[in-house]
Amino acid sequence: FATELHQLTTTFSVIGLAETNCNPENKDLYTISGYTSYYQSIFKNDATSKKKGTGVALYVHDSLNAVIDNQHSVITSHIETLFVSITNTTKPIHIGVIYRPPNSEIKLFLEDFRKITKSLPQERSYIMGDFNINLHNSSHQGFYEYQEILLSSNFSPLISISTHEKPGCKNTCIDNIHTNNYNDVFTSGAFSETISHHLPIFQFSNITYDNDNPKQAHIQYYNFCKSNIEQFINKLSEKINNFSACDERFDAFNDIFLTTMDNTCKLTIPKTTKRNNINNPWITDGLIHSIETKHNLYKNWKRTVSSGSPNGDLEKRDKYRAYNKNLKS
């Protein structure tokens, strides 16, 4: 995601992510330079323990002062939310990210969603996320009540185009940004990037802020010094020496990876520091160049795709696929 973000020339004030599959104590593994991250705990219980399709996070630009809004930040089997309040603006701004698992109980989700929209401040509130309710399909379960909740709480959806594109399936509008501050919004939409089946959505508002306020302290849970990283690599190599990698065993590998990271790099007592997060050391100039080349090849091919030629220029398509395959090998 960080390398894909590098392709954009715009610096966003707040970035929201859904399905992070990451707990707060592991957030320092996924830093973005210039941002402070806030992670919600992933949902787990004894009956339905999930390791995929859970977790939400917010990345707030270092020029903004953010405080977690615990009242509206919840975790259940049917809704996961994380909200922050931005305080160094002319008036406070309230921003949250929501994820609704697609197979969760829609009635329970809508009940909690109604409580959130009713209790949020009546201005300068933004709710982004993956709601898994298709606004392009009025027969979708919960469609009308979902819209009634938004309108009765003075919220409006800013995204009306397809946001989820999956081969073999109809395009849907299940990701959105809702706000009761629509008078300040001057544009919104979705990027045609292929990070996943979900297109990244965005909105721009005309809001001023004061960046002279002192920045909040950052809690450090891990120490990624050279000796710890070397120890981590050695321990991980020992544990996966006989490990056969395949998609079905990703969860097992993920457990080994996180356990080894905790045993070698996690601090016994977390540190508090005012320093910003450092860049991910694995995002090299070479990797960024490769991602840029891949994007250019993809865009050159997609420009040739039309209703009369659904596969486009086959030579450009094959060139893109060959390069993408080589990156993964």
Side-chain angles (χ1 to χ4, degrees):
F1 171 76
T3 54
E4 300 286 349
L5 188 64
H6 179 78
Q7 308 301 309
L8 306 176
T9 58
T10 301
T11 299
F12 293 95
S13 299
V14 179
I15 300 170
L17 299 177
E19 295 187 80
T20 62
N21 303 301
C22 176
N23 272 313
E25 57 265 28
N26 294 320
K27 69 175 186 175
D28 286 344
L29 298 174
Y30 311 103
T31 61
I32 300 178
S33 180
Y35 289 84
T36 299
S37 61
Y38 302 85
Y39 273 70
Q40 179 64 283
S41 298
I42 60 176
F43 176 77
K44 276 191 176 185
N45 65 27
D46 294 337
T48 58
S49 179
K50 296 197 306 177
K51 293 183 180 178
K52 289 185 179 180
T54 179
V56 289
L58 290 169
Y59 284 79
V60 180
H61 195 270
D62 287 339
S63 61
L64 300 173
N65 292 340
V67 178
I68 292 180
D69 176 3
N70 291 310
Q71 177 187 352
H72 299 105
S73 300
V74 299
I75 322 165
T76 70
S77 61
H78 52 271
I79 187 172
E80 300 178 41
T81 74
L82 177 64
F83 280 80
V84 297
S85 296
I86 307 296
T87 58
N88 60 325
T89 51
T90 51
K91 291 183 180 179
I93 301 174
H94 309 274
I95 302 177
V97 57
I98 289 181
Y99 174 64
R100 184 185 85 83
N103 297 321
S104 62
E105 176 56 55
I106 186 68
K107 182 179 179 181
L108 295 177
F109 167 79
L110 291 172
E111 288 176 358
D112 282 349
F113 186 57
R114 183 185 297 275
K115 292 177 184 177
I116 290 172
T117 57
K118 293 293 185 183
S119 60
L120 280 170
Q122 296 182 1
E123 61 177 2
R124 293 201 163 198
S125 294
Y126 298 83
I127 309 171
M128 69 183 100
D130 177 3
F131 300 89
N132 276 305
I133 298 176
N134 184 12
L135 290 183
H136 289 175
N137 182 5
S138 60
S139 63
H140 195 289
Q141 186 181 13
F143 175 86
Y144 289 106
E145 186 175 353
Y146 176 53
Q147 294 206 80
E148 181 272 323
I149 290 172
L150 290 170
L151 295 176
S152 64
S153 303
N154 200 31
F155 278 87
S156 290
L158 300 179
I159 308 298
S160 58
I161 59 178
S162 297
T163 64
H164 186 264
E165 301 177 353
K166 188 175 182 179
C169 301
K170 287 185 177 181
N171 294 348
T172 58
C173 179
I174 59 177
D175 310 278
N176 223 305
I177 303 172
H178 307 301
T179 185
N180 55 17
N181 195 48
Y182 32 81
N183 288 334
D184 284 337
V185 176
F186 58 86
T187 188
S188 60
F191 293 108
S192 59
E193 304 299 332
T194 54
I195 297 175
S196 70
H197 296 312
H198 296 266
L199 300 181
I201 57 177
F202 66 89
Q203 71 86 26
F204 294 107
S205 296
N206 184 22
I207 296 175
T208 58
Y209 62 91
D210 174 18
N211 60 3
D212 292 331
N213 288 7
K215 294 181 174 58
Q216 295 180 334
H218 167 69
I219 301 176
Q220 180 183 348
Y221 293 94
Y222 290 82
N223 180 9
F224 297 115
C225 65
K226 183 177 180 181
S227 59
N228 283 356
I229 292 297
E230 289 177 350
Q231 186 181 10
F232 165 74
I233 294 173
N234 292 334
K235 293 286 185 182
L236 186 64
S237 298
E238 293 175 4
K239 292 183 178 182
I240 66 173
N241 190 36
N242 298 319
F243 187 87
S244 59
C246 61
D247 291 342
E248 291 75 13
R249 299 201 62 196
F250 175 79
D251 287 346
F253 171 78
N254 191 49
D255 286 342
I256 293 173
F257 183 93
L258 294 178
T259 300
T260 308
M261 182 66 70
D262 285 348
N263 291 338
T264 56
C265 301
K266 191 171 185 178
L267 296 171
T268 304
I269 301 176
K271 293 181 180 179
T272 301
T273 175
K274 291 186 178 180
R275 294 182 178 179
N276 294 328
N277 294 332
I278 61 172
N279 279 322
N280 288 308
W282 52 272
I283 302 180
T284 63
D285 291 338
L287 181 57
I288 291 173
H289 174 74
S290 297
I291 295 295
E292 289 175 345
T293 303
K294 185 195 79 168
H295 274 282
N296 290 333
L297 290 172
Y298 177 77
K299 290 175 181 177
N300 288 339
W301 166 48
K302 292 297 285 186
R303 289 192 189 102
T304 67
V305 174
S306 64
S307 57
S309 179
N311 292 320
D313 187 311
L314 297 183
E315 183 178 352
K316 291 183 178 180
R317 183 199 66 179
D318 293 343
K319 188 174 181 180
Y320 160 71
R321 288 182 174 178
Y323 188 85
N324 196 35
K325 182 178 180 180
N326 185 53
L327 284 180
K328 295 178 180 179
S329 62

